[in-house]
Amino acid sequence: GPPGIQGEQGEQGEQGVPGPPGSGGKLMFFAKHTFSLNGAGATTFISPIHIEDGPEGAELVGVIPVPCTMTSMAIRQFGLTGATTATFTFRKGTAIPLTDTAMACTVSSGTAFCTDTDTIVMNTGDLFTFKMVYTAGGSSSDTYLTTLICE
């Protein structure tokens, strides 16, 4: 015979077992900076997310989109000559000027790579940048690759 009419919807079943926790994920921020360190030693600020450098301001900061903990900073330099050193300090805050953190490392003409694995708690909306303090450099351009990982 012909099919019957649709029956009434039954009651909702019990909630299933929760799934396993996610892997958490990581945020990675990186940038390349090329400029000359000619002249006397100085301090400048460099963006952790694009090629800008100069006085600390809104164009030089990144913004944290979700809470995480900054767990790793790595700096690689190319082109330093003579007795040049460049110290990078990770800065954070909710307004400019930002504040230095314990995360810092130094590259030089003798040591082209540095890292720091201090942990820095970051909240949604926090701003962050690098402060770079350097001694006089050679006449050529120097290139810095910067990387940060927030988990």
Side-chain angles (χ1 to χ4, degrees):
I5 58 170
Q6 176 80 30
E8 293 182 26
Q9 182 171 341
E11 294 181 26
Q12 182 170 339
E14 294 180 30
Q15 183 170 337
V17 176
S23 62
K26 296 180 182 181
L27 299 173
M28 186 159 121
F29 305 94
F30 55 92
K32 174 186 166 194
H33 300 274
T34 302
F35 51 92
S36 178
L37 302 181
N38 287 327
T43 298
T44 192
F45 297 90
I46 64 173
S47 171
I49 58 174
H50 55 86
I51 63 171
E52 299 291 328
D53 62 84
E56 189 173 45
E59 62 279 352
L60 298 180
V61 299
V63 179
I64 294 296
V66 295
C68 60
T69 300
M70 206 63 75
T71 59
S72 182
M73 167 178 142
I75 310 291
R76 174 72 165 97
Q77 65 80 20
F78 302 91
L80 286 178
T81 58
T84 303
T85 61
T87 299
F88 293 79
T89 303
F90 179 75
R91 292 171 60 83
K92 72 169 263 191
T94 56
I96 297 169
L98 305 180
T99 304
D100 286 356
T101 69
M103 187 176 273
C105 72
T106 300
V107 292
S108 69
S109 50
T111 307
F113 179 73
C114 69
T115 62
D116 189 329
T117 55
D118 283 315
T119 56
I120 310 297
V121 174
M122 305 297 291
N123 298 306
T124 301
D126 278 351
L127 305 173
F128 63 104
T129 193
F130 287 113
K131 177 174 75 176
M132 177 180 157
V133 178
Y134 60 91
T135 61
S139 59
S140 63
S141 291
D142 305 304
T143 300
Y144 298 90
L145 304 177
T146 63
T147 303
L148 291 164
I149 296 176
C150 206
E151 302 183 50

